DNA sequence: TCTGGGGTCCTAGGACCC
DNA sequence: TCTGGGGTCCTAGGACCC
């Protein structure tokens, strides 16, 4: 029985979601912007064909986008998360084991049929996802995760392959691996790519075959493992049950710089409220908390400060976390600084069913239960009637620094008022 | 004018202990 | 006057991912 590892992902996921749910966008060039309408983070195939680069700041690309009639959308993470869940549940039913790796990617393990050929299965899966969700996917197959990643890139890059590439059934793999630039290898970031290039290593095949000692000396065990993966030894197991998060953060850039302590306090309070909701959804409490703020890294005189505190008793109670976080704000604030971004980190997270009592601060169990019921009620109300139905005074009312999302599409799958209406 | 957000893993080095 | 070595734990920072 021969096993194969697959990497399955949606092409241009955010842009494809927008196109799938708005028929008017199909076949048209579409780009999706990051939060605050900052950068281009997704491009439809049509937009890519027009030469629009990934990661370009919107304000720089704006003229070109208008000239080329490109549809521009603000990112709508509630919609993408919902589409992702639907995609993953379909994939789970069509594979033996599945690791959800990111919002639009999953690794799968499969058994090869007697002739070793999985192309029939792959073609069926692509058609199935297209039919049910309107999303195009690409499938890469190999012996390890590292190989599956490379195969997936080839599946997308070679039009003849129709979204499928199998490194075990492609004739001469070395020839294909040489077409993958070193920068495009999974696990090789900017720094390592530069280092590889300076040593004459410029593609995936050369990385696979370079002297192990040299690579290990530079990139440690991570680099060594990566090379083993490319050679076809599966070193990275499939991770079927996601480990509980070790930390969780909420951070945002402001729509325009802020300069007052009050504004920073409101922003931090807003992010603490969001982070506490996240903790409760994850069934976790935090034992430590950090807040930070910074000016724009693109302006001279970069300023960045952080302040941390530990909690006597780990908590996910919004009130308790606000009480811990807000006194830290004056420590990171400086007047006359054009603050561009702030965030909160929740660290040393614990499971809620792992109860820990503090020796010096014995808590009243009845009071604690009352607070927990209050938090649950607030979460239920905000989920049912929309975020902000129950708000915290510390967050301020409709603050001016709130992020910009001027070009939101419809949230058909998550907001009732946006569900398309079909005229009979 | 305007440049995203949320994570993980690994390593080096300091603090501390015996 | 002489001032070791080995271990663990923690933290900060680097690098990478999508």
């Amino acid at each position: 029985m021969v096993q194969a590892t697959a990497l399955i992902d949606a092409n241009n996921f955010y842009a494809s979601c927008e196109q799938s749910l708005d028929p008017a966008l199909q076949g048209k060039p579409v780009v999706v912007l990051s939060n605050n309408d900052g950068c281009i983070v997704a491009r439809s195939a049509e937009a890519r064909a027009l030469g629009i680069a990934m990661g370009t700041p919107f304000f720089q690309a704006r003229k070109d986008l208008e000239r080329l009639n490109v549809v521009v959308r603000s990112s709508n993470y509630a919609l993408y998360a919902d589409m992702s869940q639907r995609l993953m549940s379909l994939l789970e039913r069509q594979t033996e084991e599945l690791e959800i790796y990111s919002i639009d990617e999953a690794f799968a393990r499969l058994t090869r049929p007697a002739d070793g050929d999985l192309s029939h299965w792959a073609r069926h899966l692509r058609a199935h996802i297209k039919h049910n969700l309107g999303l195009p996917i690409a499938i890469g197959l190999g012996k390890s995760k590292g190989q599956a990643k490379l195969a997936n890139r080839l599946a997308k890059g070679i039009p003849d392959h129709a979204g499928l590439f199998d490194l075990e059934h492609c004739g001469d793999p070395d020839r294909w691996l040489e077409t993958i630039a070193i920068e495009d290898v999974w696990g090789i970031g900017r720094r390592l790519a530069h280092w590889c290039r300076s040593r004459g290593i410029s593609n995936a095949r050369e990385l696979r075959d370079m002297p192990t000692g040299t690579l290990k000396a530079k990139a440690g065990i991570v680099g060594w493992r990566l090379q083993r993966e490319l050679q076809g030894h599966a070193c990275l197991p499939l991770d079927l049950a996601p480990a509980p998060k070790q930390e969780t953060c909420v951070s945002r850039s402001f729509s325009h710089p802020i300069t007052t302590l009050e504004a920073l306090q409101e922003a931090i309070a807003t992010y603490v409220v969001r982070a506490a909701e996240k903790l409760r959804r994850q069934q976790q409490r935090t034992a430590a908390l950090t807040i930070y703020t910074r000016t724009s890294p693109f302006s001279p005189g970069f300023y960045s400060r952080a302040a941390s505190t530990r909690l006597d008793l780990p908590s996910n109670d919004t009130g308790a976390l606000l009480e811990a976080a807000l006194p830290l704000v004056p420590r990171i604030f400086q007047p006359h600084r054009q603050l561009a971004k702030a965030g909160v980190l929740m660290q040393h997270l614990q499971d809620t069913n792992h109860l820990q009592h503090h020796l010096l601060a014995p808590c009243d169990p009845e009071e604690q239960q009352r607070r927990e019921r209050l938090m649950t009620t607030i979460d239920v109300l905000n989920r049912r009637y929309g975020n902000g139905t129950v708000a915290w005074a510390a967050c301020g009312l409709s603050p001016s620094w709130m992020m910009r999302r001027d070009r939101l599409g419809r949230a058909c799958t998550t907001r009732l008022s946006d569900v398309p209406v079909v005229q009979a």
Side-chain angles (χ1 to χ4, degrees):
Chain A
M1 222 170 57
V2 183
Q3 296 261 302
T5 302
L7 177 70
I8 307 162
D9 73 349
N11 305 349
N12 325 312
F13 183 56
Y14 298 166
S16 296
C17 288
E18 298 288 345
Q19 284 181 315
S20 165
L21 292 170
D22 188 343
L25 299 186
Q26 280 160 29
K28 293 212 177 124
V30 177
V31 299
V32 177
L33 304 178
S34 64
N35 273 336
N36 245 332
D37 294 348
C39 300
I40 294 171
V41 291
R43 308 157 294 163
S44 70
E46 298 81 5
R48 199 185 289 237
L50 290 173
I52 293 157
M54 187 75 163
T56 313
F58 177 48
F59 75 92
Q60 280 174 12
R62 188 171 206 147
K63 280 236 169 71
D64 286 337
L65 296 172
E66 275 168 21
R67 184 169 51 81
L68 295 166
N69 275 320
V70 177
V71 179
V72 179
R73 285 284 164 89
S74 301
S75 45
N76 182 350
Y77 290 102
L79 168 66
Y80 311 145
D82 183 72
M83 289 292 277
S84 174
Q85 271 186 21
R86 293 165 196 249
L87 171 64
M88 296 305 167
S89 74
L90 289 177
L91 293 182
E92 253 156 13
R93 276 177 252 158
Q94 302 288 326
T95 55
E96 289 159 30
E97 289 181 308
L98 194 78
E99 171 189 338
I100 298 170
Y101 179 66
S102 75
I103 192 163
D104 73 328
E105 279 177 90
F107 287 104
R109 186 139 45 222
L110 303 147
T111 304
R112 288 191 184 270
D115 64 356
D117 185 6
L118 281 165
S119 63
H120 179 73
W121 164 82
R123 272 197 300 274
H124 169 263
L125 180 61
R126 292 193 79 230
H128 184 63
I129 301 297
K130 184 76 189 171
H131 177 75
N132 281 280
L133 296 177
L135 296 177
I137 61 168
I139 302 167
L141 289 157
K143 284 181 176 160
S144 62
K145 286 182 168 180
Q147 283 196 348
K149 270 279 194 181
L150 293 180
N152 177 276
R153 175 158 284 273
L154 292 167
K156 287 214 199 79
I158 309 162
D160 299 355
H161 279 249
L164 163 66
F165 196 97
D166 189 343
L167 268 177
E168 300 286 286
H169 284 75
C170 66
D172 178 10
D174 285 13
R175 184 171 68 86
W176 291 112
L177 294 185
E178 282 171 8
T179 67
I180 301 178
I182 191 73
E183 290 77 12
D184 295 335
V185 176
W186 185 47
I188 300 294
R190 240 194 16 247
R191 303 275 175 138
L192 280 176
H194 183 255
W195 177 84
C196 286
R197 289 255 174 213
S198 73
R199 269 155 193 77
I201 308 293
S202 60
N203 62 53
R205 205 272 304 152
E206 288 169 355
L207 177 69
R208 183 196 68 191
D209 296 338
M210 80 176 286
T212 303
T214 314
L215 182 58
K216 201 173 170 190
K218 174 69 181 175
I221 192 149
V222 178
W224 177 72
R225 212 159 43 200
L226 170 62
Q227 194 184 39
R228 296 275 299 165
E229 284 266 317
L230 299 189
Q231 291 164 352
H233 308 283
C235 306
L236 301 165
L238 227 54
D239 192 1
L240 301 177
K245 285 194 199 308
Q246 300 182 28
E247 57 180 47
T248 238
C249 60
V250 174
S251 70
R252 295 276 184 283
S253 298
F254 306 128
S255 56
H256 60 83
I258 62 170
T259 52
T260 67
L261 179 62
E262 292 68 36
L264 185 59
Q265 275 164 337
E266 285 181 6
I268 294 290
T270 304
Y271 304 157
V272 167
V273 170
R274 285 280 308 123
E277 283 166 9
K278 272 193 185 185
L279 289 176
R280 294 195 291 270
R281 192 160 1 105
Q282 293 161 198
Q283 307 207 8
Q284 290 181 305
R285 295 194 183 95
T286 187
L289 164 168
T290 297
I291 66 168
Y292 70 90
T293 187
R294 63 164 175 75
T295 58
S296 165
F298 303 98
S299 308
F302 181 65
Y303 166 86
S304 166
R305 284 282 182 287
S308 305
T309 184
R310 284 170 185 277
L311 281 89
D312 289 335
L313 198 63
S315 177
N316 59 19
D317 182 298
T318 304
L321 297 181
L322 283 170
E323 253 174 59
L326 289 177
L328 301 175
V329 178
R331 282 168 47 188
I332 62 170
F333 177 77
Q334 263 189 13
H336 315 303
R337 297 283 188 182
Q338 303 277 311
L339 301 175
K341 179 177 179 177
V344 306
L345 279 90
M346 303 290 163
Q347 297 150 311
H348 306 308
L349 305 188
Q350 323 184 334
D351 217 276
T352 41
N353 52 40
H354 165 93
L355 247 185
Q356 194 198 9
H357 294 286
H358 194 277
L359 293 172
L360 302 175
C363 62
D364 170 1
E366 236 171 72
E367 169 64 9
Q368 199 178 338
Q369 280 177 18
R370 203 184 60 80
R371 293 291 305 191
E372 277 171 19
R373 283 199 302 274
L374 175 62
M375 291 302 135
T376 306
T377 306
I378 292 175
D379 289 340
V380 167
L381 287 172
N382 281 335
R383 260 199 297 273
R384 187 175 307 163
Y385 300 108
N387 249 331
T389 302
V390 181
W392 295 76
C395 303
L397 292 169
S398 59
S400 65
W401 44 265
M402 206 57 111
M403 79 173 173
R404 201 162 32 217
R405 280 164 100 190
D406 293 337
R407 295 150 187 275
L408 212 49
R410 295 193 305 184
C412 318
T413 68
T414 53
R415 198 191 300 150
L416 194 59
S417 60
D418 281 357
V419 170
V421 177
V422 180
Q423 301 287 342

